[in-house]
């Protein structure tokens, strides 16, 4: 699959060649995270970046880099291509951080032309043959890629879920497997970076919060159902708070079977997925970190746990029979976006699922 | 009851005399709100203020006034008394904003000596003969004052509930009456002023939130049960966010009987209580304001609704049969504290319940 | 002058008629301040509002009102006109809060057609026949209006200065008059509202500041020189800080003649201008409030001094012979914008300068 | 000097032994930075930590760690000693982050008893025989240690300057050497971490700033004069802004000799000091980083430049003959505190100045 088939790519990996990666939508917040993660990645070589007309032609080193770590030197000298399906170079993976309305046009066309597209955009996430993957939760959904052949695509598309969905579903996975889940009440407190660099005006959020994020509640509900392949009863309210990075979610779970709280804590802390078993480069040692400090997790102090790839669960308590409450926090542009997408790609490669 | 019986006080009211009010714990945030509300109050005359040793002897005008409106001129010239039960002057009402551990000693002693104490502190709130009053919700609980005679008190104590409880219970009242309530899931996002001026360090909350407030969840659960005299099933998680004033609460209600959402909105918007019927000075025109703007309520823009005495409900939606969700916001140091206490006192006086 | 000459207007004032006011650019932050100030103004009646195509046709009550006090009821029912010089109604004053590039076209055309335009926009401010007025500082510059007849205008334009300029020049006025000024070093810390509602992204300013505001330093330098009609030596650095409203400025003044600090404090505190003498409705009792509390002025606590029309000076100290330092704070969208413009208009009317 | 003479220590270094380091005041913000920097340091082994009674006896891993990177594993198992001059173990260096009033008693006593104390506290900084060192600026002042023998100390004390002083003096050093400095006007905008974890209440700084930091202006003036051994004319105003880490300073320099701005930029960018020449472990590649982006430096994006050891200079401009303006930003608890102290110690060791 893809202009440079991944099988060959794996062979090249064996020969220590790197896979060629290309980032489209490379100047936005998630695009910058992709560049940051790929620039030093042991398996990928970032060979190019594309963005809209406004940035095309610039040196990547001259964009308005807004991450707190320096722009990677390797990426600085790349010239930004104007995004155009006709001029994407022959690469092994295209990482997409396009706005959904652009992605809806560009990504299927790239898949049709043989590219493997790993996408952050929300379009198509719910289509049945599109893998919507949290590598520790539903790794086998990557096999859906094969179904996409029926679309006449020689390439394919994999999606990472919505940031809040990913952060929520990680701790739900072992709970679902062990105790069953009947019902969820969720309230999120989401960082402004989730809306992109200019998405939330400072006048809107200083000394303030906004009790609504358009489309976000539906994503949590529908994507979680798809990921767990279950018609869970989920109630979600999503809010925006004056935090730069890190989404916090308060979760009430009605379980099918009763539990004791120490058992839940141990279950969460010991949870490991396929990425951990396979020792993938971007996999955190523990996907879920458990804290008993009642004041934690906190976005500023915990969002970089596991280099931004772990979620941190705190305040876990049993509120009654089969009634669990906890707070989970994760980095929305790393585990919630670019990091999850890179990890899913690593898994795809390692599993030879292409 | 009290050194200057309120009956007489009411008579004086008829003669246009003002009731003599005294504030203890007058230098803290809630104490300042009491002073602000009482300085211009049509029924009360603020005759004195007391605080701890640290401030005693100062002019009130020389304290670190931290409200956004100027310190009232009438209060500026008051000399701050050192708090001492032996030297509280003969007044009609003592408003208390003492820390709970101090209140636990001082308030009962004042009640024993004949003072009417209207208190913001959390001690004693759950004792059966202590009125815990939101004037629009459970006005008749003020009659519990009489029960306190059995303690041998010639005065008495009335309490205002926890700030988050008050803000939550206002919209619950008409819902409970009309549709019944089985179960509540609540998540609060509370302003830093709720912890007092120095309660939350800036290092703890800038670009951050804290998923826990000690003791707060129990207060919401237990006080709500007392106020509604019902053993409701309530699950609460309380968090602190970087907002100066205004607590926001996300509420999921399982009702006993089904509803349509427009009916709920109308019910809330039209809700009026005894304070509105009686035209009490501090009563807002509408205790509950309903907004259909999905981005509201917001703390910075909505906390001063009804001069800080209304709560604002938004995002009301029906999520299934007998499943209601909404967001409610109120000013934590006005409706949630001093304003509610002053309103309760007005009601007490108007009803002649003493 | 103007379609409904102000002379007649004044006569109407004598008859208690109100002057008819119209706000263009009425939906932005400064436009909202104009509406707020005019809705309850004793001399003006707000008869209409205009905005860009995006808002045209809406009820004014349906815009995204972002001030912390409720949208005035009187204004809520106004229908928003599409801004068009051909359809501005016959009014006594047009208050303009247009973006400069739009203002540059619209305002002179309105003046040509006979309207009195009182403008917040930065275009034309330095032109010699355009009054750039802080009413307490250079009231007589309003007489420049007459010079505009040479442009063939039957109406005219008056401008309020840049917000930081206004806040700076108020305390400089009595110092200049009394001690002379040789040199100024200024550093501003400006609120995000100065850039309009969407001007500063939250990602740009949370846990952060920006050491630059485009064009602002030149405005402070050039406008101050024009206002004082003096070639002062001024060095300015303008920065943006995470504050909603209220610009703070640190000022070092090299004076011509030596001073003692108590004298300066008294001079500032006693300063009154023509608006105070004439008792204009929007004039604060004291245009300059002096605090000796070293922790003040602070934006959140002091910006509403004098209803947002006073500036607050603190930290005044003598650092050497003829070397004065102080901090001044003012509300950037009230004294720094709409309030100053309304006050200038009141003065114009009262002085009969048209 | 010291219980385990540093000469021997150096020998041990040659043998790859590490120097034994001890941190007093280890639980505060600067103490935590010391622990962070020393835990992985190639030359030092952190053998113990001490704090006040409140923390004594705890595992270091159980304190309220508030840095954004995890508590170092090596430090987690240390038991916190109660601070007591009689029980400080035999170590090569004691790093002190004590409050000044405690430091004033403890540090001289430790020096008397033979310990080398490297201190963050402000006491004694201006005493003539106490080195007050920015390693790139005045490295030779470390030789003052020898003068301390006259006090009868067998150990000694070195101090790092005030955080704002250090950040200011780094760019001033090459300017002073090349163009001479006559006069400085400085305005700082300082992070809340500069006051310690609980030093600034959130109520004091959310949507706000404070135009005063007690004692800070005198420190900048007096310490800068001592460091440069020159009676410079310095005017400083220090303010607190809602930023977690990173002090920003606006600086106007009147130089002795004229300059062109490109020359200044190059001078700053190329500046290297003894730590760079000697390749000390904590020395950043460039102590001063120059940016031409007018929006920079910004605290959130630039404070970690050079791992927090570089300062970033932006907005450099020539405002007239011999009049330079710029903005400088540095990490207040790394370069401004613990990092500078560790670097000074490295230099001391490398130079054999003991």
């Amino acid at each position: 699959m893809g202009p440079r088939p991944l099988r060959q790519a794996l062979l090249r990996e064996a020969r220590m060649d790197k896979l060629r990666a290309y980032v489209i939508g490379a100047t936005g917040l998630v695009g910058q995270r992709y560049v940051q993660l790929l620039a030093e990645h042991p398996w990928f070589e970032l060979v190019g970046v594309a963005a809209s007309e406004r940035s095309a032609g610039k040196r990547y080193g001259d964009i308005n880099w807004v991450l707190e770590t320096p722009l990677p030197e390797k990426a600085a000298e790349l010239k930004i291509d104007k995004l155009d399906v006709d001029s994407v170079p022959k690469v092994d993976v295209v990482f997409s951080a396009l706005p959904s309305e652009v992605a809806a046009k560009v990504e299927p066309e790239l898949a049709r032309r043989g590219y493997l597209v790993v996408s952050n955009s929300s379009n198509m996430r719910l289509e049945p043959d599109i893998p919507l993957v949290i590598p520790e939760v539903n790794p086998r959904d990557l096999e859906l890629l094969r179904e996409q052949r029926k679309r006449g695509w020689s390439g394919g598309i994999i999606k990472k879920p919505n940031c809040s969905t990913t952060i929520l579903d990680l701790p739900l996975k072992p709970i679902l497997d062990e105790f069953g889940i009947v019902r969820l009440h969720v309230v999120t407190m989401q960082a402004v970076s989730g809306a992109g660099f200019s998405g939330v005006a400072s006048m809107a959020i200083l000394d303030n919060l906004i009790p609504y994020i358009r489309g976000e509640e539906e994503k949590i509900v529908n994507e979680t159902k798809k990921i767990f392949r279950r018609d869970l009863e989920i109630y979600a309210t999503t809010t925006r708070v004056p935090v730069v990075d890190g989404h916090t979610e308060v979760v009430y779970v009605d379980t099918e079977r009763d539990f004791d709280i120490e058992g839940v804590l141990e279950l969460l802390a010991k949870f490991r997925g396929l990425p951990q078993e396979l020792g993938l480069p971007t996999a955190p040692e523990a996907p879920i970190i458990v804290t008993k400090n009642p004041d934690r997790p906190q976005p500023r102090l915990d969002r970089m746990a596991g280099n931004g790839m772990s979620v941190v669960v705190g305040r876990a308590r049993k509120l009654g029979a089969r009634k669990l409450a906890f707070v989970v926090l994760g980095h929305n542009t790393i585990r919630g976006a670019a990091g999850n997408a890179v990890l899913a790609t690593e898994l795809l490669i390692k599993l030879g699922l292409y």
Side-chain angles (χ1 to χ4, degrees), chain A:
Chain A
M1 189 188 95
R4 307 211 15 197
L6 277 174
R7 275 190 206 287
Q8 292 177 30
L10 255 194
L11 294 178
R12 285 191 301 114
E13 191 206 351
R15 302 193 317 265
M16 305 301 293
D17 281 359
K18 285 190 167 187
L19 296 165
R20 293 160 54 85
Y22 190 76
V23 175
I24 58 180
T27 56
L29 265 185
V30 172
Q32 295 190 15
R33 284 282 177 205
Y34 273 128
V35 168
Q36 182 189 46
L37 293 170
L38 295 170
E40 304 300 326
H41 198 283
W43 294 5
F44 297 107
E45 187 187 349
L46 179 63
V47 298
V49 292
S52 66
E53 194 124 23
R54 212 165 50 90
S55 304
K58 282 192 193 170
R59 264 178 87 248
Y60 193 76
D62 292 335
I63 70 164
N64 184 25
W65 180 260
V66 294
L67 303 188
E68 292 162 35
T69 51
L71 191 146
E73 281 182 34
K74 285 186 188 174
E77 294 312 318
L78 293 172
K79 196 171 130 286
I80 301 173
D81 301 330
K82 181 173 173 321
L83 175 61
D84 179 351
V85 289
D86 290 327
S87 59
V88 173
K90 299 292 178 205
V91 293
D92 299 302
V93 194
V94 174
F95 290 98
S96 166
L98 295 176
S100 296
E101 61 283 6
V102 182
K105 292 174 201 154
V106 168
E107 293 175 359
E109 181 57 22
L110 287 174
R112 201 183 61 77
R113 295 179 182 208
Y115 292 91
L116 173 69
V117 180
V118 180
S119 165
N120 191 62
S121 311
S122 63
N123 61 306
M124 301 185 80
R125 277 191 198 147
L126 299 178
E127 299 189 15
D129 62 347
I130 300 288
L132 185 67
V133 175
I134 308 165
E136 287 89 345
V137 173
N138 60 336
R140 289 290 155 189
D141 281 353
L142 288 170
E143 296 175 12
L144 287 171
L145 262 184
R146 289 181 190 132
E147 298 295 310
Q148 298 176 15
R149 300 295 165 111
K150 297 174 187 160
R151 292 178 182 250
W153 293 353
S154 52
I157 292 176
I158 68 176
K159 292 274 175 183
K160 62 101 229 175
N162 168 271
C163 44
S164 293
T165 305
T166 302
I167 294 161
L168 173 66
D169 290 1
L170 268 166
L172 290 185
K173 168 66 175 166
I175 294 168
L176 178 68
D177 287 350
E178 185 74 16
F179 302 109
I181 294 177
V182 176
R183 191 180 297 109
L184 295 171
H185 292 81
V186 181
V187 176
T188 70
M189 295 176 278
Q190 301 186 213
V192 296
S193 63
F197 189 80
S198 301
V200 180
S202 55
M203 283 292 290
I205 205 77
L206 282 174
D207 181 19
N208 209 17
L209 60 84
I210 307 169
Y212 179 59
I213 302 173
R214 187 183 305 274
E216 197 82 356
E217 292 159 5
E218 295 81 352
K219 286 175 190 167
I220 290 176
V221 170
N222 295 326
E223 295 181 11
T224 296
K225 288 180 184 177
K226 173 170 174 171
I227 287 165
F228 289 126
R229 297 174 180 255
R230 241 164 271 210
D231 191 27
L232 298 171
E233 194 182 333
I234 308 176
Y235 305 104
T237 301
T238 54
T239 78
R240 189 75 71 193
V241 292
V243 163
V244 176
D245 285 313
H247 288 357
T248 308
E249 310 189 30
V250 178
V251 187
Y252 297 103
V253 188
D254 293 351
T255 58
E256 282 178 8
R257 294 174 290 285
D258 208 8
F259 57 88
D260 70 276
I261 194 66
E262 287 302 322
V264 168
L265 292 177
E266 195 182 324
L267 181 73
L268 292 169
K270 289 195 170 167
F271 175 68
R272 299 291 183 274
L274 209 44
Q276 283 73 35
E277 283 175 38
L278 299 174
L280 299 177
T282 302
E285 189 186 315
I288 305 166
I289 292 173
V290 172
T291 174
K292 291 191 172 180
N293 180 337
D295 284 338
R296 306 288 276 267
Q298 293 178 15
R300 194 163 61 75
L301 299 181
D302 293 310
R303 59 196 170 204
M304 287 309 293
N307 291 319
M309 286 298 289
S310 299
V311 299
V312 180
V313 169
R315 301 224 57 217
R317 50 213 204 279
K318 183 181 170 87
L319 298 179
R322 297 180 302 286
K323 179 68 99 178
L324 173 70
F326 64 86
V327 174
V328 60
L329 175 137
H331 197 299
N332 52 302
T333 67
I334 302 178
R335 171 55 89 163
N340 196 66
V342 169
L343 183 61
T345 313
E346 293 168 5
L347 184 59
L348 184 84
I349 292 165
K350 198 73 175 188
L351 294 178
L353 285 168
Y354 44 86

